Amino acid sequence: MEKDLASLLQSYRERAGLKKAQLAQRAGVSPSFVTYLEKGQRRPSLPMLARLMQALDLTASEKRELLQAGGYQPVEELAPRLSHIGEQLAELPQSERDELIEEFSRMIGRWRELRRKRVRRVVIPIAGWQPRLLSPEQLGKMLRPALEESALAGLSEVILVLAPGKAAPALKVPHGLKVRTVVQEPQVGLGHAILITQGVVGDEPFAVILPDDILLGEGRRCMQQMLALYEEYRCSVLAVTSVEGAADFKNYGIAQLGEAVRENVYLVTGLQEKPTRGRRTGLTIVGRYVLTPQIFEALQATPPDKNNELQLTDALNILLRRQRISAFVYTEKLFRVTPIKILLEQLIDALDES
Ligand code: G1P
């Protein structure tokens, strides 16, 4: 009888003489995640299964068995399908065939390039309402945690998006970081602030830190953890956190999550920017992103919202039709600078009720 993935994993682990915690450490996951897998309560993603197979030191046929039990196709089963595509291609008229082959080569080339590229740059937008109210010294202080987080994550270049006519902030730049600035002329949203950095970022994955979400304590390793996820899954990664109260829905971007990839990491199934009505579920987006360069094409295709602003969340929703996006659940200390507009709304609501 065919064994299921959970019992196969358990028997291979026991054969290797590993405790759950030991396997977890080798594969870089939490022990509870291994427990979930062995109880059949979670299905590992393909990269995760590959790491487990490596940690368990399996033979080729054991790997095949495990892949099949996990619902994945072993590579040798894909090969005949590829040759079938080859046969179909051969039947096409030459011009169509050449076009398709060129498209395939472009896709493969781009994929290879993306695999090679590491994230080096971080965009930090400070052209919104709040930063405009601060002096260069105050701005410098506010940016300190974001710069430290970037340095801890091993990033090497910061791109600050400034408001026009605003003096550059007085920065204490950690060792190893280079800072460049870009000016956002019209004040038309976060998506636009990201879009204008395209010339500097180029065709590379990059990080985004919104410095008014201040991460404290161990939380300062958030970007580092997100970059590790990017390296592993090669898709955009968002940080999300649980909703504290109903007002969070209208104040933040909201991500709906699907399948768990591993502990605290999920696939994103949908996104909404500050939804005000309808069925609202999900987690709020924290201002930390790792983005593939295709976000720029998505931003170009994104219509402005009702306030004529270009929203990054809307562009991510477009990107989601083409690429996977994962969400990292941030559970450490978070200090959110509440925008003045929200404080005023809260005050007016309180007056209404008084
Ligand atoms: C931005 C994003 C929103 C995200 C938030 C995090 O909103 O658009 O999706 O939840 O940052 O702080 P903003 O703060 O610019 O209104």
Side-chain angles (χ1 to χ4, degrees):
M1 195 190 82
E2 243 184 57
K3 278 197 165 183
D4 65 14
L5 183 68
S7 53
L8 272 176
L9 274 173
Q10 185 177 354
S11 62
Y12 287 141
R13 176 179 62 75
E14 286 167 356
R15 187 190 64 184
L18 293 173
K19 295 205 162 59
K20 283 181 192 156
Q22 290 170 313
L23 173 61
Q25 199 187 9
R26 278 197 190 182
V29 296
S30 70
S32 56
F33 189 68
V34 174
T35 306
Y36 286 138
L37 290 177
E38 291 190 359
K39 283 188 180 162
Q41 291 170 343
R42 294 272 170 87
R43 175 174 178 263
S45 66
L46 192 51
M48 167 60 61
L49 202 52
R51 283 187 7 205
L52 289 164
M53 292 193 304
Q54 203 179 0
L56 288 166
D57 212 8
L58 302 184
T59 66
S61 69
E62 289 166 346
K63 284 182 186 167
R64 252 196 316 275
E65 192 184 11
L66 210 58
L67 279 171
Q68 250 153 359
Y72 296 109
Q73 258 167 345
V75 175
E76 56 268 46
E77 278 183 27
L78 286 175
R81 283 173 54 188
L82 280 180
S83 70
H84 183 61
I85 293 178
E87 281 161 26
Q88 284 185 320
L89 272 178
E91 282 168 21
L92 289 174
Q94 174 132 22
S95 62
E96 274 180 45
R97 185 169 62 208
D98 289 350
E99 230 173 84
L100 273 175
I101 290 174
E102 222 171 275
E103 185 59 35
F104 270 140
S105 334
R106 260 201 302 274
M107 265 169 53
I108 292 170
R110 205 162 177 186
W111 174 244
R112 283 212 175 111
E113 236 175 77
L114 200 61
R115 282 188 72 90
R116 265 195 298 113
K117 282 180 185 163
R118 293 187 65 114
V119 181
R120 301 184 292 161
R121 303 192 168 102
V122 54
V123 174
I124 306 186
I126 45 166
W129 287 113
Q130 278 80 251
R132 280 172 196 246
L133 301 172
L134 302 178
S135 70
E137 287 69 34
Q138 289 169 327
L139 253 184
K141 281 189 195 161
M142 184 176 149
L143 284 173
R144 205 155 58 199
L147 294 182
E148 282 169 7
E149 194 185 328
S150 306
L152 264 178
L155 295 162
S156 54
E157 190 173 313
V158 173
I159 302 160
L160 284 182
V161 183
L162 294 176
K166 181 96 195 164
L171 295 177
K172 212 172 132 219
V173 184
H175 181 71
L177 272 185
K178 196 170 100 189
V179 179
R180 297 170 76 158
T181 55
V182 170
V183 174
Q184 184 187 19
E185 292 286 344
Q187 199 181 347
V188 284
L190 173 61
H192 180 260
I194 305 295
L195 184 55
I196 61 166
T197 66
Q198 182 172 14
V200 187
V201 169
D203 195 22
E204 289 190 15
F206 63 105
V208 175
I209 292 186
L210 308 185
D212 52 0
D213 273 345
I214 299 170
L215 311 189
L216 301 170
E218 264 306 292
R220 292 187 328 143
R221 303 226 168 248
C222 181
M223 185 49 79
Q224 190 182 39
Q225 288 168 286
M226 290 171 71
L227 290 183
L229 289 173
Y230 173 79
E231 290 282 322
E232 187 172 341
Y233 300 109
R234 300 280 157 180
C235 68
S236 298
V237 187
L238 320 176
V240 294
T241 193
S242 47
V243 169
E244 296 283 311
D248 275 1
F249 286 111
K250 67 174 166 75
N251 293 332
Y252 297 107
I254 304 294
Q256 282 90 41
L257 310 183
E259 189 193 331
V261 176
R262 59 205 266 190
E263 198 182 21
N264 281 341
V265 183
Y266 295 83
L267 287 180
V268 172
T269 55
L271 295 146
Q272 290 163 296
E273 180 64 10
K274 307 189 175 93
T276 49
R277 55 190 117 83
R279 215 181 119 246
R280 295 176 298 171
T281 56
L283 271 69
T284 69
I285 302 176
V286 180
R288 300 294 182 277
Y289 309 77
V290 178
L291 301 171
T292 59
Q294 287 74 34
I295 193 66
F296 292 120
E297 289 154 38
L299 280 164
Q300 269 150 3
T302 304
D305 70 2
K306 59 181 190 317
N307 300 319
N308 214 21
E309 293 195 352
L310 187 54
Q311 295 301 344
L312 178 59
T313 310
D314 295 340
L316 283 165
N317 234 343
I318 292 182
L319 188 66
L320 193 55
R321 294 186 210 141
R322 284 178 59 185
Q323 296 183 345
R324 285 181 312 164
I325 298 180
S326 60
F328 169 63
V329 182
Y330 177 80
T331 52
E332 301 292 333
K333 279 192 201 142
L334 168 63
F335 184 79
R336 299 192 119 158
V337 181
T338 314
I340 287 168
K341 183 170 167 280
I342 298 176
L343 286 176
L344 286 176
E345 276 171 8
Q346 285 169 353
L347 178 67
I348 289 165
D349 284 350
L351 286 177
D352 261 355
E353 282 160 21
S354 66

